[in-house]
Amino acid sequence: MDDIVMQRQERFHVRQEIALGVNKYEVTTVAPDGSDGESAAFAQQKRLTLKEQVTFYDDGAKERVRFAFKARDVVDLGAGYDVTDADGLLIGSFEKKFRSSLLRSTWVLRQEGQPPLTGRERSTFVAVLRRVWQVIPFVDILPFAWPYHFDFAGDDGTTVMSLTKKFGLVDRYVLDIASPGLDRRLAIAQAVALDALQSR
C-alpha cells in the first residue's frame, strides 16, 4: 500500500504479537465486513531498551522501511518521540505529559501545519483500575484484558483520532481517524506507542 492510498483510510486494525524479546505489531486496513483488509505497516519493538526506537515496514518481510519513531533522549517519564519518514525527514512528534498522566494517561501529538492534539484515556475508572492492577502482587504479570480507549482532540474538543482496545488477552485495537489532514503514519506511530510505551 502506498502512502497516498494509506492517507485515504479512516480506520485501521492494530494487533500486537508477543515473541521472544520483542513485541510485533501488524497494522491493516479494515474491510467492509469489519475483517482485516490490506497490510498497511508492520513494526517490531525490542523490549527493555534505554532509547526507544520502533521502525515500521511495508509488511512482515521487512523489505522496505515506511516510517519510524524514536525517543529524543534516553527513555524517561516525559520523553518526547519524533516520527520520521523512510528518508529520515520529520513527520511529527508525540510526548507523554507526566503530571497529567498520574490519573489518566495523556499524550500530545504534533504535526507541522496542524493544531496539536491532546489524547487522554476516555474512562477515568478504567485508568485507575489499570494502575491498581499493576501494583497487585502476582496479578500484575497477567495482561490487563479490560478494554481502554484514547481520544485525541484539538482545542475545540472535537475528536480527531481515537484508539479503542478490544476485550481480550491479546492486544487488539481499532484506530479511527476523522481528519483528512492528519498524517496516517503519525497516527499509526502514536497508536503503537500507546501500547508499547503505556507502562512507562
Side-chain angles (χ1 to χ4, degrees):
M1 175 183 295
D2 63 31
D3 292 340
I4 295 174
V5 174
M6 179 187 282
Q7 189 62 28
R8 291 200 295 261
Q9 306 302 311
E10 296 180 346
R11 174 170 282 189
F12 296 91
H13 284 160
V14 181
R15 180 178 293 107
Q16 181 201 42
E17 297 177 12
I18 299 174
L20 185 62
V22 297
N23 294 328
K24 297 179 179 180
Y25 295 90
E26 183 180 9
V27 183
T28 65
T29 60
V30 180
D33 64 358
S35 63
D36 289 347
E38 188 178 351
S39 177
F42 175 86
Q44 186 168 296
Q45 173 215 20
K46 291 183 180 179
R47 293 197 288 272
L48 304 176
T49 56
L50 291 177
K51 193 167 183 180
E52 195 69 61
Q53 178 171 352
V54 176
T55 302
F56 293 79
Y57 301 88
D58 270 341
D59 53 37
K62 300 191 293 184
E63 294 177 351
R64 186 174 80 96
V65 172
R66 300 204 69 164
F67 54 98
F69 74 76
K70 183 177 182 178
R72 295 186 195 122
D73 300 302
V74 172
V75 174
D76 59 31
L77 295 175
Y81 301 84
D82 290 325
V83 182
T84 54
D85 67 13
D87 297 317
L89 300 175
L90 186 67
I91 298 170
S93 64
F94 53 83
E95 64 184 50
K96 190 170 187 178
K97 308 304 286 184
F98 173 68
R99 186 171 296 176
S100 303
S101 295
L102 292 176
L103 182 60
R104 286 193 300 169
S105 292
T106 303
W107 295 75
V108 176
L109 180 66
R110 293 185 172 87
Q111 177 182 329
E112 186 70 30
Q114 301 283 337
L117 303 175
T118 300
R120 290 187 182 89
E121 287 183 87
R122 189 181 302 163
S123 169
T124 302
F125 171 77
V126 174
V128 172
L129 183 61
R130 266 197 328 102
R131 285 153 177 76
V132 171
W133 183 274
Q134 291 172 351
V135 297
I136 298 175
F138 305 110
V139 174
D140 64 325
I141 63 173
L142 298 173
F144 184 76
W146 196 264
Y148 58 88
H149 318 289
F150 279 85
D151 294 316
F152 285 77
D155 291 338
D156 63 357
T158 301
T159 299
V160 174
M161 179 179 101
S162 63
L163 186 71
T164 303
K165 182 180 181 183
K166 296 301 191 180
F167 188 84
L169 296 177
V170 177
D171 288 344
R172 297 179 302 121
Y173 303 87
V174 177
L175 173 63
D176 286 301
I177 305 168
S179 169
L182 179 60
D183 194 303
R184 277 25 180 187
R185 297 168 298 178
L186 179 59
I188 290 170
Q190 174 72 88
V192 167
L194 288 174
D195 182 276
L197 310 175
Q198 185 57 17
S199 61
R200 299 196 175 184

